[in-house]
Amino acid sequence: MVGVKVDYPPWGFIDTDGKNSGFEIDLAEAIGKSMNVDVQFKAVSTANRFQKLNDGQVDLLIATVGDTIERRNKVNMVVPHYFRSGVTAISRKSYQIEGWEDLIGKPVCLTSGAYFNKALIRNYRIDPIILSNNRDLKIALLTNKCQAWAYDSGILFTISNQSAWRDYEIALETIMPIHWSFVTRNDADSKRLSDWLSRFLASRIRDGYVKNLAQKWSLPELDFLSQQHSNWNQIDAESKPICTIKDKANLANTFCFDSVLSLSKSDKAQAKLLDEFDTKLIAKSLIHTALFTAIVLVTASLLALLLSALTLKTPYWLGQSVFALTNVQSSIPPILMLYFTYFGAMASFQDHAQTWYASGTAIAWIILSLYTASGINNLVSTNRQSTSTLLQRISEQRLGIKSNLINLAKAAGMASVIATPNAVLVLNSVSSNSEYPFLLMTALAVFYYVEVLIFGYFIKLCLSILPENKSHPSLQIKEEKTHEPV
């Protein structure tokens, strides 16, 4: 079982027949043929591939995995490497982004789980918009939600050559070169597989198979593969190969085995679950989520009062029109409306895509507030012929109002993926490269659960201030019947 990418052409993708295809798929099938075993594929993403490997869902990853010192602490990187790439950025030509320094303080799309995210945020002080898959990243770039998309140089060069992207360019130098590895688990059972894969790769580099396969798929970095092919065919004075698998433990031998990237200041494994940078970024994202939820709750409550006043205190034709509109508004799922508005309707306002009123936060704020306020108005304005005051109506419907506001708190947490995009995906990105993904994602789930409980408590507290409505006719009748003689 091989974990592969399905959204990363030409390395790994689904073809028109619905089958796995690409450079890495061909490598996996060549492995299966040499082993005389059947090969099955399971889709993985940058964010979940290590978890699926260590959980035993796949036996091997051939999924654009860059080899780093940090990753070697939790998985086994097979050498020699089979490809090399780096980090660059694609942007709209009209932005005139010519150097990495031009991205300082600018909104830049990043892929959740990518090894270089932290370095880019730290070194270039970009405003990260972290999304989980290439489809959403392309949409965000096309609709000007970000000024650039920083990602692997190979796939960005492939995208830039497509006609649909003729208004975009790659003007930045490629930085942080990294070599790609097959990946197995770091356990005793996988050691035999890893050793076999090392021998397999060495032989296929020597006979030119890897280089020729890259040419078939029109991949970049052919100079690296050609040099690798030449190095592994070098022989010494005794006609023995200079490069052998026996030397793979020697990381200093960069002639045969490429240097391994380290993302930390030292090559030592970091003992901390989260470093200071991760902690600050996650804390900031979660605080933004809580503040966003609070602001939406207050706005929805005030807007509900306004809509109810318009429905009940204005001429009948106007009040009835407001009531009809709020019925329509509350019938559309807010998350669906949020997604289509953010990536659909607002996409036509490309020149304003990075202004505050076209941001994900503003759109989510407006849509969620309108949806909840409409639902509350539908409750409060039922039976418009009643002589009850607005305060009495609110008191009668306090249970329904409470339910609407608590549901809003839940929806605000879900909408934070667009409203405050880093809130969920920053932690997801950290967990994908951590030894404790279950612990980190459990912590995120606990945060949302506790957040809803806290907001639910304050909603109940605020509604409890309202006086009990004892003057309503229905309550009077019920009270009178209670005191009738038997």
Side-chain angles (χ1 to χ4, degrees):
M1 183 65 74
V2 183
V4 295
K5 291 287 188 71
V6 294
D7 61 348
Y8 209 106
W11 286 270
F13 61 98
I14 303 297
D15 64 18
T16 54
D17 296 326
K19 297 180 179 179
N20 292 91
S21 186
F23 171 72
E24 293 182 326
I25 308 302
D26 286 351
L27 281 175
E29 290 177 341
I31 290 171
K33 185 177 180 181
S34 295
M35 281 186 166
N36 195 28
V37 297
D38 293 330
V39 174
Q40 296 180 353
F41 299 106
K42 179 181 281 290
V44 299
S45 67
T46 301
N48 67 23
R49 55 192 175 186
F50 294 141
Q51 183 176 353
K52 288 193 174 184
L53 176 70
N54 287 325
D55 287 349
Q57 297 182 48
V58 297
D59 305 305
L60 166 68
L61 288 177
I62 310 181
T64 70
V65 183
D67 188 2
T68 70
I69 294 293
E70 291 76 15
R71 287 175 174 174
R72 288 190 174 202
N73 294 322
K74 55 182 175 290
V75 292
N76 179 65
M77 297 289 183
V78 177
V79 291
H81 302 111
Y82 68 94
F83 196 70
R84 182 184 67 183
S85 66
V87 184
T88 189
I90 185 171
S91 63
R92 192 179 289 273
K93 294 177 182 177
S94 59
Y95 286 145
Q96 298 182 341
I97 295 174
E98 300 176 353
W100 284 98
E101 66 279 0
D102 295 332
L103 293 177
I104 293 175
K106 302 290 179 57
V108 177
C109 284
L110 300 175
T111 304
S112 174
Y115 71 90
F116 46 78
N117 287 352
K118 187 188 299 185
L120 291 180
I121 297 170
R122 178 183 286 152
N123 297 340
Y124 298 101
R125 303 188 300 281
I126 63 174
D127 179 15
I129 298 177
I130 304 177
L131 298 172
S132 60
N133 59 70
N134 288 351
R135 179 200 61 209
D136 287 348
L137 284 156
K138 290 177 183 177
I139 293 174
L141 186 63
L142 288 169
T143 55
N144 288 358
K145 300 300 183 296
C146 46
Q147 288 199 11
W149 175 16
Y151 198 36
D152 176 80
S153 59
I155 193 168
L156 291 187
F157 277 115
T158 301
I159 289 174
S160 67
N161 291 327
Q162 299 172 0
S163 58
W165 296 82
R166 58 181 174 272
D167 294 331
Y168 293 79
E169 64 179 352
I170 298 175
L172 305 187
E173 64 175 326
T174 300
I175 59 176
M176 292 188 282
I178 192 169
H179 299 88
W180 296 10
S181 287
F182 295 166
V183 187
T184 61
R185 283 184 290 278
N186 230 347
D187 54 33
D189 292 338
S190 299
K191 189 175 185 310
R192 286 181 60 201
L193 173 62
S194 175
D195 291 342
W196 186 93
L197 289 170
S198 289
R199 295 192 296 271
F200 169 84
L201 263 177
S203 65
R204 303 326 302 261
I205 289 171
R206 278 198 181 99
D207 65 17
Y209 173 79
V210 175
K211 181 184 71 172
N212 294 335
L213 188 60
Q215 290 175 331
K216 168 191 168 183
W217 287 102
S218 302
L219 301 186
E221 296 290 348
L222 291 178
D223 56 337
F224 161 72
L225 296 173
S226 296
Q227 185 62 54
Q228 199 183 36
H229 170 67
S230 174
N231 290 352
W232 279 80
N233 279 289
Q234 295 288 325
I235 56 175
D236 59 18
E238 298 178 358
S239 297
K240 294 181 179 180
I242 294 176
C243 296
T244 64
I245 295 301
K246 295 178 181 179
D247 299 327
K248 68 178 182 177
N250 182 10
L251 297 181
N253 182 10
T254 56
F255 179 77
C256 303
F257 298 95
D258 310 291
S259 58
V260 181
L261 183 68
S262 175
L263 302 177
S264 61
K265 294 181 180 179
S266 67
D267 290 346
K268 296 180 181 180
Q270 296 186 11
K272 293 182 179 179
L273 175 61
L274 297 173
D275 61 21
E276 184 180 357
F277 180 83
D278 292 330
T279 303
K280 287 182 178 179
L281 199 59
I282 291 171
K284 180 181 177 181
S285 298
L286 296 182
I287 290 171
H288 283 179
T289 300
L291 287 175
F292 172 74
T293 305
I295 291 170
V296 171
L297 284 169
V298 172
T299 305
S301 300
L302 296 175
L303 191 56
L305 288 173
L306 175 62
L307 291 174
S308 299
L310 288 173
T311 304
L312 298 170
K313 304 298 182 180
T314 57
Y316 182 82
W317 65 268
L318 179 57
Q320 193 62 28
S321 298
V322 173
F323 187 69
L325 287 173
T326 57
N327 269 287
V328 173
Q329 173 69 31
S330 61
S331 66
I332 305 174
I335 299 300
L336 183 65
M337 184 185 292
L338 177 61
Y339 191 88
F340 280 120
T341 303
Y342 184 67
F343 286 125
M346 292 305 295
S348 59
F349 298 97
Q350 291 186 355
D351 293 337
H352 306 283
Q354 290 161 39
T355 55
W356 70 266
Y357 53 82
S359 68
T361 304
I363 293 170
W365 173 42
I366 294 168
I367 288 176
L368 292 178
S369 299
L370 273 174
Y371 176 82
T372 303
S374 297
I376 293 174
N377 181 53
N378 294 341
L379 288 172
V380 172
S381 302
T382 303
N383 188 16
R384 293 185 61 202
Q385 290 75 25
S386 171
T387 58
S388 300
T389 65
L390 180 56
L391 186 61
Q392 289 170 341
R393 288 171 176 269
I394 292 173
S395 182
E396 291 170 21
Q397 301 294 338
R398 72 173 72 203
L399 184 59
I401 293 172
K402 176 185 173 184
S403 298
N404 272 269
L405 291 175
I406 289 177
N407 284 333
L408 175 60
K410 297 175 185 176
M414 296 171 62
S416 64
V417 176
I418 291 178
T420 55
N422 301 336
V424 177
L425 292 169
V426 164
L427 191 55
N428 190 26
S429 177
V430 173
S431 68
S432 69
N433 288 303
S434 168
E435 298 179 42
Y436 311 97
F438 177 78
L439 179 60
L440 289 171
M441 296 313 291
T442 300
L444 181 63
V446 169
F447 167 79
Y448 281 115
Y449 181 72
V450 172
E451 182 196 38
V452 172
L453 286 179
I454 292 173
F455 279 114
Y457 171 77
F458 280 106
I459 291 167
K460 180 181 178 182
L461 191 64
C462 291
L463 290 173
S464 67
I465 298 173
L466 294 172
E468 291 290 343
N469 182 20
K470 296 183 179 180
S471 60
H472 190 268
S474 63
L475 295 177
Q476 290 179 353
I477 292 170
K478 186 175 181 181
E479 189 174 322
E480 289 171 4
K481 287 185 176 180
T482 304
H483 291 89
E484 285 181 358
V486 177

